[in-house]
Amino acid sequence: MLLNLLFIFTFFVELLISTLFFSSVSERKTSLPITIISGAVLFEIGALINIFAVSTVWLNVLFSFVANLTFALCFFKIKKVRAVFYSLLLVAVSTIIELITIFVISSLTETYITNYESEPIILTVEIIISKILYFLIAMLLARFADKNNQTIKTPATFYIFPIITSVAVIGFWYISLNEVIEYKNQIILAGVSLLLFLATILVFFAYRFNAQRENKLLLLQQEQDKIKTDMVYYDVLEKQNDNLRIYAHDAKNHLATIKNLNTNPQIDTYISEMIKKLSEYSNVCHSGNRIVDVIVNKYITECKINGIDFEFDIKNNNLSCVEYYDTVTILGNLLDNAVEAVSVAKEKHISFETDFRNNFSVIIISNSCDRNPLNERGDITETTKSNKRLHGFGLKSVKRTVKKYNGDIAFDYDSAKGIFVVTVMIEN
């Protein structure tokens, strides 16, 4: 019975370590409870193999690799090549540490651990020591594997807990070797050691995922603050544009009057050129939706400064069905992404258009792009920025806002033309 419980415990601990590791190097597809429950079912198959079938080292190694790989691919947003590499790495580290631990403990006790049920303390010590070392090395590897992730750091003092656990387990082991203790009490000591070790892992687990949750809330708040700041900026920009348009209109009238009064052909030509320039300024976006106009005018100016060709066509739909705040969220983030992508592309072109399709308002933003930013699922999950965990919330805000209108967002990349297209559907 004890042996079976130890098998179940061992594979559950391996699940927790794998969850911590893959959460450090990638992002989860599912919620934490679903990930843990589903992962437990997957990993505990290994315990059942050891309980009901013939258990060998190579069978356990093979199962551990398959379990880690399946777990990574099913519950984390990670590429297949990386998933295979990290699974092999984890299994190799776990196996080597376990073999070394067994060899050392067997040498110290001058016994070979063949009869597990008769040596509960030795077996417990071997499991705890090997898994603590595996856990520490896995966390160290995770830090090296995700060099760009600086948002969540486990305090160094937390690593005292595994050390204390190891000392306590060795102390229990020493007592068992030097004192005459009944088998029942040995079982109790083994159980206390396992619970102490499990508590150590759960401390790391709770800290890391609470820190992750708080970090996401902070980033979402920062995204909301950015949108509010943009709203204020667009209000100020709209007032400035109104004043400039009034000035341009009055200036054109004054120049036209001066031209009519003038008899010098050179001055006429000069004035005509000035009127043309003022007309070009006045010929900006006038969709009837003030926030759309301000946003488009802003990007017209920004793209002109950066040498980007910016085209827009919103004659058919001015997005009046979308609240101002949501319009800023959608257009601001998507056009920011387009400008960022074009800034590093050979061709520099952005196109923005709107339309009606059935009962939906459609937003289409396309931009030149030298590389395909889509993954195998046709979604954008990576960024070229240095800290990947601090970015991507703009797109998440867009998706959340689109969902609010029962809409959808789709991405497409034309590799032949080097054009990336975002299509947003919003229910009217």
Side-chain angles (χ1 to χ4, degrees), residues 254-291:
H254 289 308
L255 288 172
T257 302
I258 294 171
K259 182 180 178 182
N260 292 332
L261 295 173
N262 177 64
T263 58
N264 188 325
Q266 290 183 335
I267 295 177
D268 282 346
T269 303
Y270 187 79
I271 292 175
S272 296
E273 188 65 25
M274 290 182 67
I275 294 175
K276 180 181 177 183
K277 292 293 183 183
L278 288 170
S279 298
E280 288 178 358
Y281 173 79
S282 301
N283 188 27
V284 289
C285 182
H286 298 291
S287 67
N289 185 333
R290 72 174 187 85
I291 196 66

Side-chain angles (χ1 to χ4, degrees), residues 362-396:
V362 181
I363 300 170
I364 303 172
I365 298 176
S366 60
N367 60 268
S368 49
C369 186
D370 292 343
R371 70 175 187 88
N372 187 357
L374 302 179
N375 58 23
E376 297 174 351
R377 297 181 300 277
D379 197 4
I380 302 175
T381 56
E382 293 192 356
T383 175
T384 57
K385 296 178 180 177
S386 59
N387 194 328
K388 298 185 179 184
R389 290 295 179 91
L390 288 177
H391 299 283
F393 277 85
L395 189 56
K396 289 180 180 179

Side-chain angles (χ1 to χ4, degrees), residues 74-349:
C74 291
F75 300 101
F76 294 89
K77 297 178 181 179
I78 187 171
K79 293 181 178 179
K80 291 180 180 179
V81 175
R82 291 185 70 195
V84 171
F85 174 75
Y86 288 143
S87 298
L88 285 172
L89 184 63
L90 289 176
V91 172
V93 170
S94 176
T95 303
I96 292 171
I97 290 176
E98 189 167 352
L99 292 175
I100 292 174
T101 305
I102 290 174
F103 175 77
V104 171
I105 291 178
S106 298
S107 299
L108 291 175
T109 58
E110 297 181 351
T111 59
Y112 291 98
I113 306 176
T114 54
N115 189 352
Y116 290 105
E117 291 190 359
S118 65
E119 299 287 351
I121 294 297
I122 294 179
L123 176 59
T124 303
V125 169
E126 182 269 313
I127 290 174
I128 293 177
I129 297 298
S130 65
K131 296 310 173 187
I132 283 179
L133 292 175
Y134 173 43
F135 166 70
L136 292 174
I137 293 176
M139 292 301 96
L140 183 64
L141 290 173
R143 291 181 71 114
F144 281 104
D146 192 23
K147 295 179 182 178
N148 294 323
N149 178 24
Q150 302 297 325
T151 60
I152 301 174
K153 290 184 178 180
T154 304
T157 52
F158 271 52
Y159 291 93
I160 295 175
F161 290 103
I163 297 174
I164 292 175
T165 301
S166 300
V167 172
V169 170
I170 293 173
F172 291 156
W173 181 25
Y174 177 81
I175 293 172
S176 299
L177 291 175
N178 292 276
E179 301 291 337
V180 178
I181 301 179
E182 295 181 1
Y183 181 77
K184 177 182 177 181
N185 292 330
Q186 288 185 8
I187 299 298
I188 293 174
L189 281 176
V192 171
S193 300
L194 292 173
L195 290 175
L196 182 60
F197 173 54
L198 183 60
T200 301
I201 301 293
L202 291 178
V203 166
F204 277 83
F205 210 85
Y207 172 82
R208 181 163 194 86
F209 288 101
N210 282 334
Q212 271 187 343
R213 183 174 59 183
E214 291 177 3
N215 185 61
K216 287 184 178 180
L217 290 174
L218 176 62
L219 293 174
L220 286 172
Q221 183 61 50
Q222 290 175 347
E223 177 65 24
Q224 294 299 314
D225 291 342
K226 174 184 175 296
I227 295 172
K228 291 178 182 177
T229 302
D230 287 345
M231 288 288 293
V232 174
Y233 167 72
Y234 287 135
D235 284 338
V236 173
L237 193 61
E238 182 187 20
K239 292 177 182 178
Q240 290 178 341
N241 287 344
D242 285 342
N243 292 333
L244 288 172
R245 279 193 289 270
I246 292 171
Y247 172 78
H249 177 74
D250 291 343
K252 281 192 299 179
N253 290 335
H254 289 308
L255 288 172
T257 302
I258 294 171
K259 182 180 178 182
N260 292 332
L261 295 173
N262 177 64
T263 58
N264 188 325
Q266 290 183 335
I267 295 177
D268 282 346
T269 303
Y270 187 79
I271 292 175
S272 296
E273 188 65 25
M274 290 182 67
I275 294 175
K276 180 181 177 183
K277 292 293 183 183
L278 288 170
S279 298
E280 288 178 358
Y281 173 79
S282 301
N283 188 27
V284 289
C285 182
H286 298 291
S287 67
N289 185 333
R290 72 174 187 85
I291 196 66
V292 171
D293 292 344
V294 175
I295 291 173
V296 172
N297 291 335
K298 178 224 176 186
Y299 284 98
I300 289 174
T301 303
E302 183 176 344
C303 289
K304 187 174 182 180
I305 293 172
N306 292 285
I308 300 171
D309 179 28
F310 183 86
E311 296 180 354
F312 66 94
D313 182 4
I314 52 177
K315 295 189 296 291
N316 295 332
N317 185 355
N318 66 1
L319 303 178
S320 57
C321 65
V322 184
E323 296 178 10
Y324 280 7
Y325 188 90
D326 297 331
T327 302
V328 173
T329 300
I330 296 171
L331 297 186
N333 281 301
L334 293 181
L335 288 172
D336 274 345
N337 290 344
V339 171
E340 181 186 340
V342 169
S343 65
V344 295
K346 294 179 181 179
E347 300 291 332
K348 298 188 182 300
H349 175 79

